[in-house]
Amino acid sequence: MREFIVEADGGSRGNPGPAGYGSVVIDAATGETLMEAAEYIGVATNNVAEYKGLVAGLKAAHQLDPAASVHVRMDSKLVVEQMSGRWKIKHPDMKPLAAEAARVFPASQVTYEWIPREKNKHADRLANEAMDAGKRGLAWSPSASTADLDTRAARSAAVREPSGPPGDAAAGAARARAALAGAPGGGAFGTSEAGETADRRAASSAAGGAASTGARTPPVGWAVPADLGAPATFVLLRHGETALTPEKRFSGSGGTDPSLSEVGREQAERAAAAFAARGTIQAIVSSPLKRCQETAYAVAARLGLDVHLEEGLRETDFGAWEGLTFGEVRERHPEELTAWLASPDAAPPGGESFAAVSRRVAATRDRLTAAYAGRTVLLVTHVTPIKTLVRLALGAPPESLFRMELAAASVSAVAYYRDGNASLRLLNDTSHLR
């Protein structure tokens, strides 16, 4: 008898609100993904979406083999306990869905297991892909899905272990379940952005931040780690506009600490609304400077989260150049400006060099990735820290700082994996401001 593992999830952005589900059928003996299903279902509650994901997963497994044994894994305690018969089903919306799920397979062929949310990333990503597609007025398409990418490598590594005697399906299933319990889920910004397989990550970021400062030394080559785990994903939000922003004046941490302008406050509210709609931010960390705090607290009010201040995220201290335009600096400090443009070790008079900022930001990155492993965290900060995080993630040279554009209130995202590699997921997105 074949054995399948069905992982299912559902979500609602508002509860009730725009909702969708995702489910995946996995071969328990090999860890191979056999079938995926996802759908945007309109306005519904989380529980309804989770039940619909369960029904879709069971039907997909039945389509593959109606005689198979099915082990369902979900992070919904309610659905697992109700379908296991330990909790009564009282809500009128749940009863028909539970009955539909129970009809797909005979009860003797299905078992249920609750798993933590971080262990259900594949189905979670499918559900978010479906909701994202529905928001655009589209249907979820398996050809455009990237949900399987971050899980495939770990599953493949897990099943390379020596198996039991030929035909020992139970032992194979037990090994697969143990491996799947730690399979990485790679939450990108919004959890539905494109991920990368572990072997592609190892190749594409072989430099892995090995720039002149703040460097890491990740593994090089195409070797696939057995278990990278879910990444720490930093969603990088530049603060909204201040009065100095449109005039392109140097505005660092060396004395100028302007508040948001009226435009900047509107930008912060638009960003907050976008993050609330996506529903993926789990924590907020901000630079202590006023413009970042004001932006961060606008988002926090929408998400119901606290704001943690991090000194390492403050902007460069531009010293004597604070409040000046580039033209004014060129006129008053021509030699110092030429040196600053030529070397990351040069600093504005009385200020901070980009090399020093890079060391500070790299140390902050390491602290935060350790503290928020496997979570999606909003970092509200400034131009230089964001560009530095991007530069280090790509292993780009210091001069790349001058070749990136970051608009006020723009969003970027970088994922950091346990092996030291990083993946740039997004850069300078301003779609929420339009």
Side-chain angles (χ1 to χ4, degrees):
M1 177 186 291
R2 296 183 72 183
E3 180 168 355
F4 297 143
I5 293 172
V6 170
E7 295 177 347
D9 199 10
S12 171
R13 293 169 178 172
N15 198 29
Y21 68 74
S23 53
V24 56
V25 182
I26 301 157
D27 189 313
T30 66
E32 179 187 1
T33 297
L34 302 177
M35 189 175 292
E36 295 175 312
E39 184 182 4
Y40 173 70
I41 60 173
V43 176
T45 65
N46 280 326
N47 291 336
V48 166
E50 288 162 346
Y51 259 112
K52 284 185 174 289
L54 169 63
V55 171
L58 289 172
K59 287 183 175 179
H62 190 272
Q63 181 181 337
L64 291 169
D65 187 349
S69 171
V70 179
H71 184 69
V72 176
R73 294 160 42 93
M74 297 181 68
D75 59 57
S76 171
K77 189 76 170 175
L78 176 78
V79 175
V80 168
E81 294 299 318
Q82 288 181 344
M83 292 304 299
S84 299
R86 292 185 288 270
W87 290 3
K88 289 183 179 181
I89 305 172
K90 299 179 180 180
H91 199 286
D93 291 343
M94 307 298 152
K95 289 182 179 180
L97 291 169
E100 185 179 4
R103 288 194 298 268
V104 180
F105 282 95
S108 60
Q109 290 177 227
V110 185
T111 57
Y112 288 86
E113 176 190 1
W114 177 85
I115 56 175
R117 183 177 181 182
E118 61 269 18
K119 303 265 180 88
N120 200 27
K121 288 293 188 179
H122 192 157
D124 174 76
R125 173 172 285 185
L126 287 168
N128 275 281
E129 286 183 349
M131 287 185 278
D132 288 343
K135 185 177 180 180
R136 298 191 299 271
L138 303 173
W140 176 82
S141 170
S143 63
S145 175
T146 62
D148 188 40
L149 293 178
D150 275 347
T151 57
R152 187 187 307 149
R155 288 172 181 166
S156 298
V159 299
R160 285 200 295 269
E161 296 179 6
S163 60
D168 187 358
R175 281 191 299 276
R177 282 183 198 155
L180 288 167
F189 172 44
T191 72
S192 62
E193 300 290 342
E196 295 180 88
T197 54
D199 51 341
R200 283 172 60 198
R201 283 198 301 271
S204 66
S205 46
S212 60
T213 57
R216 295 181 177 188
T217 310
V220 177
W222 292 84
V224 180
D227 179 10
L228 291 179
T233 301
F234 291 168
V235 180
L236 309 171
L237 174 62
R238 186 189 170 194
H239 61 79
E241 277 192 15
T242 72
L244 300 181
T245 308
E247 299 179 6
K248 298 187 181 298
R249 294 184 178 275
F250 282 90
S251 181
S253 58
T256 58
D257 191 10
S259 298
L260 295 180
S261 64
E262 184 176 346
V263 170
R265 288 191 291 273
E266 174 64 22
Q267 291 172 333
E269 290 297 336
R270 287 177 178 265
F275 291 127
R278 299 186 76 98
T280 56
I281 299 299
Q282 297 170 292
I284 301 175
V285 181
S286 173
S287 158
L289 297 184
K290 190 183 302 179
R291 53 198 184 272
C292 284
Q293 287 200 53
E294 291 174 347
T295 304
Y297 279 111
V299 179
R302 288 288 190 103
L303 302 186
L305 296 173
D306 294 328
V307 175
H308 303 277
L309 301 184
E310 170 54 60
E311 181 68 21
L313 294 178
R314 62 180 171 80
E315 182 57 288
T316 307
D317 181 347
F318 291 112
W321 300 351
E322 294 279 351
L324 302 181
T325 65
F326 191 86
E328 289 169 343
V329 170
R330 182 176 292 281
E331 181 181 333
R332 301 178 193 182
H333 305 273
E335 294 181 3
E336 292 90 342
L337 180 62
T338 298
W340 182 73
L341 293 172
S343 171
D345 295 310
E352 189 177 23
S353 71
F354 280 149
V357 174
S358 184
R359 289 190 292 271
R360 164 163 59 84
V361 169
T364 302
R365 171 204 63 192
D366 292 345
R367 282 198 310 276
L368 294 178
T369 53
Y372 294 101
R375 303 176 70 189
T376 299
V377 183
L378 179 67
L379 304 189
V380 185
T381 181
H382 309 263
V383 169
T384 310
I386 293 174
K387 287 185 177 182
T388 299
L389 288 167
V390 170
R391 179 181 79 76
L392 295 176
L394 296 176
E399 56 266 28
S400 65
L401 293 177
F402 298 111
R403 298 174 185 175
M404 290 183 240
E405 176 69 24
L406 281 179
S410 64
V411 176
S412 304
V414 181
Y416 296 92
Y417 295 87
R418 218 183 282 169
D419 64 351
N421 282 308
S423 173
L424 177 63
R425 299 292 179 85
L426 195 66
L427 181 65
N428 195 38
D429 177 25
T430 58
S431 58
H432 54 286
L433 302 178
R434 295 195 287 271

